[in-house]
Amino acid sequence: NCNNKNDFTFKNIKLEGTTYSPKPDFYFTQGAQFDNILKKYFKNTKIIGPIKYDGVSFKKKVKKNKTKKIVICPSVGDDEVILNMLDGAVSAQHKYFISPHPTYKFIAKKFINKLSKKCDIRYLENVSTRKLVAQSDLVIAGFSSMVYEATIMGIPSLRLISLQYPHYHETNDKVKMIFNSLDLKKILSQKSFAQLKFLDKNKVKNYMFYKLDNKSFLRMWSNIKKYKN
């Protein structure tokens, strides 16, 4: 628990991993945003970039869709808020694709059952979220980091957020937040989403991911060698 320094293992080695969270000797982070948080609790942190994106190409598939494609990206714990807001806002004007977090795939059926009478919504289980986003016109999420990937690809994105619950995302990331179905419906009724303000791609990349140069793993090993020496 990052809100309480005492929750991390210090003199409770025997209870590490059960009662207390592990306290690493060295912590590698993917960008300044997370590094700034960890520096409050750990002295030894180093920004290396996102290893999970080594080998990933962030390229939008250039294609004009007659019917706009909207990708819905629920994460763990935000699906009810997203679904309820969409229920009062969707129509047959656009085509929707539900692409939940990999550990939350079972909620796709719930979205299909509730929204299929109001709009064209599909679940392509064997197509990755990133591939769907690359071909989309708009990305809708709650807490998901897919909004950052969309921004890097030049695709507009929205966060559907409830003011009744805690926010589990970076609230200063400048991604447009929608708090009710009425405002969402106004946006979805538009023929184009081009007027939605894009974030500065470089600022997003530098703040959240440091570098997307496929060399994060090299920086990791380089720093491990320095630390060992």
Side-chain angles (χ1 to χ4, degrees):
N1 184 345
C2 286
N3 294 318
N4 189 339
K5 298 179 184 180
N6 294 327
D7 281 354
F8 287 94
T9 302
F10 182 62
K11 294 181 180 180
N12 301 284
I13 303 299
K14 293 183 179 180
L15 297 177
E16 181 175 325
T18 54
T19 304
Y20 297 93
S21 302
K23 182 179 180 181
D25 296 308
F26 208 87
Y27 217 123
F28 295 128
T29 60
Q30 68 175 19
Q33 183 265 345
F34 191 43
D35 196 72
N36 291 339
I37 296 173
L38 284 179
K39 280 182 177 177
K40 299 177 182 178
Y41 308 97
F42 299 102
K43 293 182 178 179
N44 298 321
T45 68
K46 182 68 177 179
I47 301 174
I48 62 170
I51 293 178
K52 69 176 182 177
Y53 289 149
D54 282 352
V56 174
S57 176
F58 291 94
K59 291 184 179 180
K60 178 181 179 180
K61 186 175 181 181
V62 181
K63 182 180 180 181
K64 291 185 178 181
N65 303 315
K66 291 183 179 180
T67 302
K68 299 302 180 185
K69 295 182 179 180
I70 300 175
V71 179
I72 307 164
C73 303
S75 189
V76 178
D78 61 10
D79 53 296
E80 288 294 338
V81 170
I82 294 175
L83 180 55
N84 290 335
M85 215 174 290
L86 284 170
D87 188 40
V90 297
S91 69
Q93 183 178 355
H94 306 301
K95 185 180 295 184
Y96 295 83
F97 295 87
I98 176 70
S99 190
H101 187 279
T103 62
Y104 234 48
K105 288 184 176 182
F106 64 90
I107 66 171
K109 186 177 181 180
K110 181 169 61 174
F111 276 74
I112 298 292
N113 290 341
K114 192 164 187 177
L115 302 179
S116 59
K117 292 182 179 180
K118 298 182 178 182
C119 66
D120 181 352
I121 182 169
R122 308 176 186 185
Y123 174 45
L124 306 180
E125 185 174 4
N126 297 320
V127 180
S128 71
T129 301
R130 188 173 295 121
K131 186 174 181 178
L132 287 172
V133 168
Q135 301 177 57
S136 70
D137 298 285
L138 177 67
V139 172
I140 293 177
F143 308 137
S144 175
S145 63
M146 288 307 300
V147 295
Y148 303 130
E149 295 192 25
T151 296
I152 293 170
M153 286 187 259
I155 298 168
S157 60
L158 301 170
R159 288 194 190 279
L160 305 188
I161 300 296
S162 171
L163 295 176
Q164 297 180 352
Y165 304 106
H167 297 170
Y168 297 105
H169 67 280
E170 174 56 67
T171 55
N172 295 319
D173 61 13
K174 307 302 180 183
V175 176
K176 186 174 181 61
M177 293 188 286
I178 302 297
F179 302 101
N180 59 73
S181 291
L182 181 60
D183 288 341
L184 178 60
K185 189 173 184 177
K186 290 178 181 178
I187 291 176
L188 296 181
S189 65
Q190 299 169 3
K191 294 181 179 180
S192 172
F193 307 118
Q195 77 284 356
L196 289 175
K197 186 177 180 180
F198 283 174
L199 304 179
D200 187 307
K201 297 179 185 180
N202 290 326
K203 285 185 178 180
V204 171
K205 181 177 68 174
N206 295 338
Y207 184 53
M208 301 301 300
F209 304 127
Y210 180 50
K211 292 181 179 180
L212 296 174
D213 57 359
N214 300 320
K215 295 181 180 179
S216 298
F217 77 102
L218 294 176
R219 287 188 285 272
M220 180 190 71
W221 286 117
S222 175
N223 281 282
I224 287 176
K225 291 178 181 178
K226 291 179 182 178
Y227 182 71
K228 289 176 68 174
N229 294 332

